[in-house]
Amino acid sequence: MTAVQGTAVDITTDDGTADAYLAHPGDGRPHPAVLLYMDAFGLRPQLTSMADRLAEAGYTVLVPNVFYRDGRAPVAELPEFIDEGTRPKLFERIGPIMAALTPELAMRDADAYLRLLADSPVAADGPIGVTGYCMGARLALLTAGTYPDRVAAAAGFHGGRLATDAPDSPHLVAGDITAELYFGHADQDPSLPVEQMERLEEALTAAGVRHTCEVYSGAHHGFTQADTDTYDRAADERHWAALLDLLKRTF
């Protein structure tokens, strides 16, 4: 197992300072970079452990607090385990913050995240990989389309609202994407109904994007997050296999 070094870092953006976690192999050499976008519950031990696992596999991983405009992580007080009883109160706080993070703001921030990785001595030169979870899957898709020359691969897992009727729906950037994409959808996820899965698939296919979209049967929204009651170990391990395979093909 590769020794991992993880540190807290601050990222200067156009709108302030985003706190983040940076993990990388502890050998002092540059490694291919991965931008990991958080779910709605934010930067916390669950996500730093995921970053560490990617770093063990040989990558330099940045996990920004995309809600930094509302404070350093965690922006909401989190229980050790998130279940149906704690979600409603959490989303009273988190819901408005999510709504305020428009695609325009998120992609302005993405430039700063990408620049930090480009300038980091522990990140290899060249395009990076992106992975995102829940709301982070939307951000991964948007980043691939907004910065096509800087993203070589992008993945999203149990993403919601990926292909809506809104004029700023993430799937509309498909025509600008040059990266290879992978999406792992949860079939028990009301935030991504079948019609949105089909609309995303159609958009990526029409644009000629190299992609794979798979449905994880029986999985719920949040199936990769071990600190929640929607965690699914089998689906999570499938996600790791798919993500690492994508990154291996890319780098």
Side-chain angles (χ1 to χ4, degrees):
M1 183 178 292
T2 302
V4 169
Q5 184 173 341
T7 56
V9 296
D10 284 343
I11 306 169
T12 300
T13 76
D14 288 346
D15 297 324
T17 301
D19 49 312
Y21 178 74
L22 182 70
H24 56 90
D27 57 10
R29 296 189 291 109
H31 291 267
V34 177
L35 173 60
L36 191 158
Y37 278 123
M38 63 186 230
D39 63 353
F41 300 126
L43 181 54
R44 63 194 191 283
Q46 166 62 23
L47 291 190
T48 60
S49 71
M50 293 175 74
D52 288 348
R53 182 165 173 173
L54 275 175
E56 287 173 359
Y59 300 96
T60 292
V61 187
L62 180 68
V63 191
N65 167 26
V66 302
F67 291 158
Y68 71 89
R69 291 175 180 82
D70 289 87
R72 299 181 74 86
V75 297
E77 186 175 349
L78 298 174
E80 289 187 10
F81 189 75
I82 300 166
D83 58 20
E84 284 302 314
T86 55
R87 270 192 187 81
K89 185 174 182 180
L90 283 175
F91 275 99
E92 286 180 11
R93 166 67 173 156
I94 296 169
I97 298 173
M98 289 177 62
L101 185 65
T102 63
E104 179 184 4
L105 289 177
M107 290 306 96
R108 194 160 75 206
D109 293 339
D111 178 62
Y113 308 151
L114 294 170
R115 279 190 282 107
L116 181 138
L117 288 171
D119 294 341
S120 173
V122 295
D125 293 339
I128 72 160
V130 184
T131 185
Y133 301 86
C134 303
M135 58 165 277
R138 294 199 305 273
L139 300 181
L141 179 54
L142 286 167
T143 302
T146 306
Y147 299 102
D149 58 332
R150 296 155 79 177
V151 177
F157 298 91
H158 46 81
R161 298 182 58 77
L162 295 175
T164 71
D165 294 324
D168 58 359
S169 176
H171 79 287
L172 297 176
V173 303
D176 297 318
I177 293 173
T178 58
E180 181 178 351
L181 305 187
Y182 177 92
F183 286 96
H185 304 314
D187 73 344
Q188 303 298 309
D189 188 350
S191 71
L192 193 73
V194 172
E195 56 267 25
Q196 287 198 40
M197 295 184 193
E198 293 174 346
R199 186 180 294 142
L200 175 63
E201 176 71 36
E202 290 167 0
L204 296 176
T205 300
V209 177
R210 293 167 297 151
H211 71 281
T212 301
C213 294
E214 296 185 323
V215 177
Y216 289 31
S217 179
H220 293 261
H221 187 79
F223 62 75
T224 63
Q225 303 301 304
D227 59 351
T228 76
D229 61 358
T230 56
Y231 179 67
D232 183 319
R233 182 178 297 277
D236 183 33
E237 288 306 313
R238 180 179 173 185
H239 132 262
W240 279 111
L243 175 59
L244 291 172
D245 186 54
L246 174 68
L247 295 175
K248 185 178 179 179
R249 289 197 304 275
T250 304
F251 301 111

